[in-house]
Amino acid sequence: MSEMIYSFKKLPKNKLKLAGGKGGTLSKLLQAGYPVPDGFVILSNAFDDNNLKSKAVDIIKKEIKKLRTDDKVKFAVRSSALSEDSKEASFAGEFETILNVKSEKEIFNAISEVIKSTETDRVKAYSKVKGMTTKHQISIVIQRMVPSEISGVLFTTDPVTGAKTKILGNYVYGLGEKLVSGETNAETFTITRPTRIYEGPKKLKEISNKIYDLAVSLEEYLEGPQDIEWTVVNNKLYLLQSRPITTIEETKDPIMGKWNYSSNGDFLWTNQMTAEVYPEVITPSTWSVWNIYYKDQNIEGYPGIGIIGGRVYINYSLTYSIMIKIFRKHDKVMEWLEGILGEIPENIKVPIMPISLSKLLFQILPREIKGQIKKSKLKKKQKKYINNIPSLCEEISQEIDNIKEKRSLINLWEGKLKPVFLDVFTLQDTMNEDFFRPYISLKKKLTNLIGKDDAEKLLATLSGGSEELESIGPLLGLSKLVEGKITRKEYESLYGHRHPNENELSEPRPIENPKYINKQIENFKESPVDVNELVKNRSLEFMDTWNNFKKKYPSKEKGLKKKINEIENTMYKREKVRSELTRIIGIIRKFYLMAGKLTKLNKDIFFLTVDEVINLLRGDNKSISYINLRKEYFRKYKSLPSYPQFIRGYFDPIKWSEEFYDSDSLKSSNTIKGYAASEGKVKGIVRRIDSPEEGELLKPGEILVTATTNIGWTPLFPKAKAIITDIGAQLSHAAIVAREIGIPAVVGCRDATKRINTGDKVIVDGGRGIVKIIESKEK
């Protein structure tokens, strides 16, 4: 067949894009076995100045004859612009469609009308809104029509909110053109997932299961929410078109760096664990790299981890919905989730997502089995593998330094750096599982035995045992450096990759900036506290607490001590893997810097995703035009206060921030409740700071109040009398380090930074998880 015209059945894969949105999709779907009425595609190269080439005319006549099985057959002549029905723009109803054409003359006249429609005012206006300035290349679909009895459209996802709980649809009797163009009122219906409960007129109910199956199948096959046109003849369902839903914000806004997964539906999100890992707004480069791993955890199109206004959140609803499907009991599920993600506020309910049992068994379970096999293999060689990461990173770093060609940088990323990153990230995930499992079990046993308050008090003295935890490593390392026990070079090798925003690619590592480490040394020397003595005292405090427990419960001592030792051992391994994962992130930063050098984008390269960087290195520079918009949104989000710990439904960070500064309702109580993170009770003056760069403001003996902490805050801890955070739980950074050096801590208070100001006097009870404001500076 000519290179200009192809039947749906024979359009090759390498011509799908040239067939336009409609022609390419219909051909792909018919070839995959979907019930698409037969037809053919006239590619854009069949035209010369909007006129059909003579050779094309002859081929079109032959194709029409193949489709015309009798004299009653009618045809639809439909636009298929290369920009049409794409993720960025649907152009629904903008280009011309001619229906019910019968003779050859009518078909060729219709082709001319469709071609001319690319120059109409409505197409120009729509193109301008979508930021498209070039002339539209257009292919044309000629398709055999079916005598429609019912015609409709449906959305597999709510096109406004992005919610996937229901399939939404409209239909009319007869042809669907009036429905698509909005010229007539239509009947509406919904089908609930995954129960298939149909709500709507009775006429359509008998075929609702077929509609449901088609919708779910198309969404999976085409990898995203779909806007589907369909028709029914003699109780048989036909597919007329399927295109991406372009109104969902997460789908269209990555171009501007304005991802917002909260627009995907009524889900509960939390940053309980992620705010410590990603304490600030992250760049597109950072999100794209971490999302290589996260996106593989998606289930039925639902993201397990998403980004909201530049900050990373966990989909609490998805985790809960999967676990309730497996365990069936709410209390058992919450026992696990609260152990990992913390307690949710009493006034917040968890929206349940429609996870089907079949998907659980046939999609999630096989993936989990495959994942566990990989994790098991990595665990067997964990110690040797992790110990080898520093030298491997040094090797890759030197390779990057020597790269002169773009192709070499691509090969390094795909062949070495990316696989190492994914392996170590998988190992980190494994260590998390190995840690939380015994920890939650121990917490449950202690709670049943001695009550929740006393259990939390005992756990608040738990430390890393005999091993030095990586969380406290930079602090102890500074002590050794100041005392002359290690050299500056040794310190940089051990901890030069650790800093407050260490998982953000655009942030320089301490090893890149000598002034950073000099400042850490200065701050450390100002601290009057002997860190090693603090660690030793906390270890003794734990032993005293444990000995008191043994006297009360001698029969329980052996089994519980074994579990405590297991937790301490796994805690050390978990921290070690996390440190080496962070080291790899530093090398990925170096990869980006080299890409910036080779493309002359320099530091602007951090506003491109990793896929865009690879495409740019291959010669596709389309993404460069996105950079300024992304930088603008990045700056906007960076200027906002930290977002809430829990978010339900759609969240607009900018609108929320306006209300945030006006709210005084939270200051009515003098008592703040959080997690008992580190044992001890003290009274003192508050110093509220927002970043470790403000650490010089913290005076020795003040109580540190902040939103969250990570390893970059560790050098400040010895100066503090106690720690209070908005975000965190008993296994967060603030809790672990506070326990190690023996200062009280209450974490996960949610709103402490709004209710406590610098200069306020408070009592911190780290064993009970309570903060009392006894004197406010404002009064």
Side-chain angles (χ1 to χ4, degrees):
M1 185 177 287
S2 162
E3 291 287 315
M4 298 183 289
I5 297 160
Y6 291 91
S7 69
F8 288 172
K9 294 174 184 175
K10 294 183 179 180
L11 181 71
K13 288 183 179 179
N14 64 348
K15 300 288 185 181
L16 287 174
K17 288 186 178 179
L18 295 177
K22 193 178 279 98
T25 301
L26 289 174
S27 298
K28 179 179 178 180
L29 293 174
L30 184 137
Q31 291 174 24
Y34 286 93
V36 176
D38 205 359
F40 61 92
V41 187
I42 307 169
L43 302 186
S44 58
N45 63 354
F47 297 92
D48 190 0
D49 265 349
N50 286 350
N51 296 311
L52 277 167
K53 295 176 182 177
S54 57
K55 187 177 179 181
V57 172
D58 294 336
I59 299 170
I60 291 169
K61 289 179 179 179
K62 291 177 183 178
E63 288 301 313
I64 292 171
K65 284 181 181 179
K66 291 178 186 177
L67 293 177
R68 197 191 297 279
T69 53
D70 58 56
D71 292 338
K72 294 181 180 179
V73 172
K74 294 181 180 179
F75 298 91
V77 180
R78 310 172 72 186
S79 64
S80 186
L82 273 61
S83 54
E84 192 175 359
D85 293 339
S86 65
K87 288 186 178 181
E88 288 75 27
S90 69
F91 279 93
E94 302 301 329
F95 298 111
E96 200 66 64
T97 291
I98 313 293
L99 303 177
N100 288 319
V101 292
K102 197 171 181 181
S103 68
E104 277 187 3
K105 184 179 179 181
E106 289 174 333
I107 291 172
F108 283 106
N109 286 339
I111 291 171
S112 296
E113 288 297 313
V114 173
I115 284 290
K116 290 176 184 176
S117 69
T118 61
E119 300 296 328
T120 62
D121 290 340
R122 67 173 184 263
V123 168
K124 291 177 181 177
Y126 186 90
S127 301
K128 186 176 181 181
V129 169
K130 291 294 181 178
M132 299 176 178
T133 56
T134 57
K135 186 177 179 180
H136 294 283
Q137 284 185 284
I138 192 167
S139 295
I140 291 179
V141 166
I142 310 293
Q143 190 174 21
R144 189 161 58 190
M145 292 187 66
V146 293
S148 304
E149 297 167 4
I150 296 175
S151 299
V153 296
L154 64 84
F155 296 99
T156 62
T157 294
D158 189 312
V160 178
T161 67
K164 296 187 176 185
T165 52
K166 289 185 177 182
I167 291 168
L168 315 174
N170 299 298
Y171 70 89
V172 295
Y173 294 100
L175 291 174
E177 188 60 22
K178 289 183 178 180
L179 171 62
V180 175
S181 62
E183 295 176 15
T184 187
N185 292 325
E187 302 284 1
T188 62
F189 68 91
T190 63
I191 308 174
T192 303
R193 294 187 184 208
T195 58
R196 297 173 178 259
I197 295 174
Y198 170 83
E199 293 181 58
K202 290 182 180 180
K203 179 72 176 176
L204 200 66
K205 188 173 184 181
E206 59 188 36
I207 202 170
S208 63
N209 277 332
K210 292 181 181 179
I211 292 173
Y212 179 90
D213 289 337
L214 179 67
V216 172
S217 175
L218 284 168
E219 188 174 61
E220 185 172 341
Y221 182 67
L222 296 175
E223 299 180 337
Q226 296 295 303
D227 171 0
I228 301 166
E229 295 177 28
W230 50 274
T231 192
V232 177
V233 182
N234 295 326
N235 215 37
K236 182 176 179 180
L237 183 64
Y238 288 91
L239 173 60
L240 302 181
Q241 177 59 341
S242 189
R243 54 179 164 250
I245 298 176
T246 59
T247 55
I248 299 173
E249 187 170 352
E250 195 273 319
T251 301
K252 67 179 181 180
D253 278 359
I255 287 177
M256 294 187 288
K258 193 184 171 189
W259 291 274
N260 194 335
Y261 282 59
S262 73
S263 66
N264 280 9
D266 185 20
F267 309 145
L268 181 64
W269 300 87
T270 181
N271 65 353
Q272 177 69 283
M273 290 179 70
T274 55
E276 181 183 315
V277 181
Y278 314 100
E280 297 181 22
V281 171
I282 62 177
T283 54
S285 58
T286 300
W287 172 240
S288 70
V289 168
W290 288 97
N291 198 38
I292 296 170
Y293 187 85
Y294 292 146
K295 69 184 179 184
D296 286 340
Q297 315 306 308
N298 293 357
I299 294 165
E300 288 199 41
Y302 300 119
I305 294 180
I307 191 166
I308 301 173
R311 294 185 183 269
V312 182
Y313 276 77
I314 295 171
N315 190 336
Y316 198 107
S317 287
L318 180 61
T319 308
Y320 177 86
S321 300
I322 293 170
M323 294 185 73
I324 202 71
K325 202 81 177 178
I326 297 170
F327 297 114
R328 301 289 177 179
K329 294 182 180 179
H330 171 79
D331 290 345
K332 187 177 177 90
V333 171
M334 294 311 296
E335 178 185 298
W336 271 87
L337 289 180
E338 288 176 2
I340 299 171
L341 299 175
E343 297 179 14
I344 60 175
E346 292 180 2
N347 62 329
I348 293 181
K349 291 184 179 180
V350 184
I352 300 177
M353 299 164 68
I355 305 296
S356 66
L357 186 59
S358 61
K359 286 287 183 182
L360 201 62
L361 292 173
F362 299 113
Q363 179 183 339
I364 303 172
L365 188 59
R367 188 175 73 190
E368 283 299 305
I369 292 171
K370 185 179 178 182
Q372 289 302 324
I373 292 171
K374 181 177 181 180
K375 288 176 181 179
S376 178
K377 289 179 180 178
L378 286 169
K379 273 180 70 176
K380 287 178 182 177
K381 60 177 182 178
Q382 173 207 334
K383 187 174 181 180
K384 184 178 179 181
Y385 185 65
I386 290 301
N387 288 340
N388 188 49
I389 292 298
S391 60
L392 180 59
C393 284
E394 181 61 29
E395 177 187 314
I396 297 174
S397 177
Q398 289 177 8
E399 286 185 49
I400 293 173
D401 287 338
N402 294 326
I403 281 176
K404 305 296 181 187
E405 297 178 353
K406 296 175 182 178
R407 181 71 248 179
S408 300
L409 191 60
I410 295 172
N411 292 340
L412 181 66
W413 167 253
E414 295 178 342
K416 187 176 285 187
L417 187 50
K418 180 181 174 182
V420 171
F421 167 69
L422 290 176
D423 278 351
V424 179
F425 201 166
T426 302
L427 195 52
Q428 172 74 67
D429 211 9
T430 309
M431 292 298 101
N432 287 338
E433 292 172 3
D434 288 354
F435 176 76
F436 282 117
R437 199 177 295 114
Y439 179 84
I440 293 168
S441 174
L442 174 63
K443 186 176 181 180
K444 181 182 179 182
K445 287 181 179 180
L446 286 174
T447 300
N448 292 338
L449 189 64
I450 59 179
K452 184 178 179 181
D453 288 346
D454 286 342
E456 289 188 349
K457 192 171 182 178
L458 178 61
L459 290 170
T461 64
L462 194 63
S463 67
S466 59
E467 300 284 3
E468 180 184 302
L469 291 180
E470 289 292 328
S471 289
I472 200 172
L475 181 57
L476 293 173
L478 280 172
S479 176
K480 292 174 185 176
L481 179 59
V482 170
E483 293 171 9
K485 294 180 179 178
I486 61 173
T487 65
R488 171 76 174 243
K489 188 174 181 180
E490 287 172 326
Y491 180 85
E492 290 176 350
S493 175
L494 289 168
Y495 310 113
H497 58 292
R498 308 303 306 265
H499 71 111
N501 202 11
E502 61 193 12
N503 292 310
E504 165 56 50
L505 295 179
S506 65
E507 285 283 343
R509 315 290 106 171
I511 198 168
E512 299 174 49
N513 181 12
K515 291 182 180 179
Y516 180 90
I517 296 177
N518 292 340
K519 189 67 176 176
Q520 295 294 303
I521 294 170
E522 288 175 22
N523 289 337
F524 181 83
K525 287 179 177 178
E526 289 177 8
S527 173
V529 181
D530 185 334
V531 179
N532 292 293
E533 190 67 23
L534 283 176
V535 174
K536 182 180 176 182
N537 290 341
R538 175 40 63 104
S539 181
L540 292 173
E541 186 179 343
F542 170 74
M543 291 309 300
D544 287 342
T545 306
W546 179 248
N547 288 333
N548 290 333
F549 175 82
K550 283 197 298 184
K551 289 176 185 178
K552 286 185 179 181
Y553 307 98
S555 63
K556 305 291 183 181
E557 181 262 340
K558 190 174 180 181
L560 291 176
K561 189 65 172 75
K562 183 179 179 182
K563 198 166 283 291
I564 286 173
N565 290 339
E566 179 187 355
I567 290 168
E568 289 180 339
N569 182 47
T570 310
M571 186 187 294
Y572 166 76
K573 292 179 181 177
R574 175 176 175 248
E575 294 267 316
K576 181 69 175 174
V577 174
R578 180 172 173 177
S579 177
E580 296 311 314
L581 179 60
T582 303
R583 192 188 299 274
I584 293 166
I585 290 298
I587 304 302
I588 295 176
R589 166 179 162 77
K590 193 165 187 176
F591 158 81
Y592 255 85
L593 287 170
M594 179 55 75
K597 181 179 178 181
L598 292 174
T599 59
K600 295 182 170 53
L601 285 179
N602 300 319
K603 291 183 180 179
D604 278 355
I605 198 78
F606 292 110
F607 290 90
L608 298 182
T609 68
V610 69
D611 287 342
E612 289 167 348
V613 168
I614 297 300
N615 289 336
L616 181 61
L617 292 170
R618 286 177 174 148
D620 180 359
N621 62 3
K622 179 179 68 174
S623 57
I624 293 176
S625 62
Y626 307 156
I627 290 174
N628 287 336
L629 275 170
R630 290 178 178 178
K631 287 169 75 173
E632 181 183 337
Y633 274 100
F634 180 75
R635 284 192 290 266
K636 281 183 183 178
Y637 292 142
K638 284 271 285 185
S639 69
L640 304 179
S642 297
Y643 307 161
Q645 186 177 343
F646 288 92
I647 289 172
R648 178 172 174 180
Y650 180 69
F651 177 79
D652 183 328
I654 295 172
K655 287 184 180 178
W656 166 82
S657 68
E658 294 168 359
E659 298 171 2
F660 176 88
Y661 290 113
D662 292 336
S663 175
D664 292 320
S665 60
L666 292 171
K667 297 187 178 181
S668 58
S669 171
N670 287 330
T671 300
I672 300 170
K673 186 76 175 75
Y675 290 99
S678 183
E679 168 67 10
K681 187 174 181 178
V682 297
K683 182 192 296 184
I685 303 297
V686 163
R687 174 68 61 180
R688 182 185 176 276
I689 61 177
D690 296 323
S691 74
E693 283 72 26
E694 299 173 348
E696 59 190 27
L697 299 175
L698 179 68
K699 297 174 184 175
E702 289 185 325
I703 293 171
L704 172 62
V705 176
T706 191
T708 187
T709 72
N710 58 27
I711 196 164
W713 291 75
T714 303
L716 299 181
F717 276 49
K719 292 169 67 175
K721 199 172 188 179
I723 307 292
I724 302 169
T725 70
D726 287 344
I727 297 167
Q730 288 158 321
L731 302 174
S732 62
H733 171 269
I736 291 171
V737 176
R739 286 198 295 270
E740 287 292 305
I741 64 176
I743 60 174
V746 179
V747 301
C749 297
R750 298 195 180 100
D751 52 22
T753 54
K754 287 192 72 177
R755 297 169 64 180
I756 307 175
N757 299 301
T758 295
D760 289 354
K761 186 179 286 187
V762 300
I763 296 173
V764 180
D765 189 340
R768 294 173 61 209
I770 292 174
V771 178
K772 284 190 176 180
I773 304 171
I774 55 176
E775 188 178 313
S776 177
K777 190 180 179 183
E778 289 184 352
K779 292 181 180 179

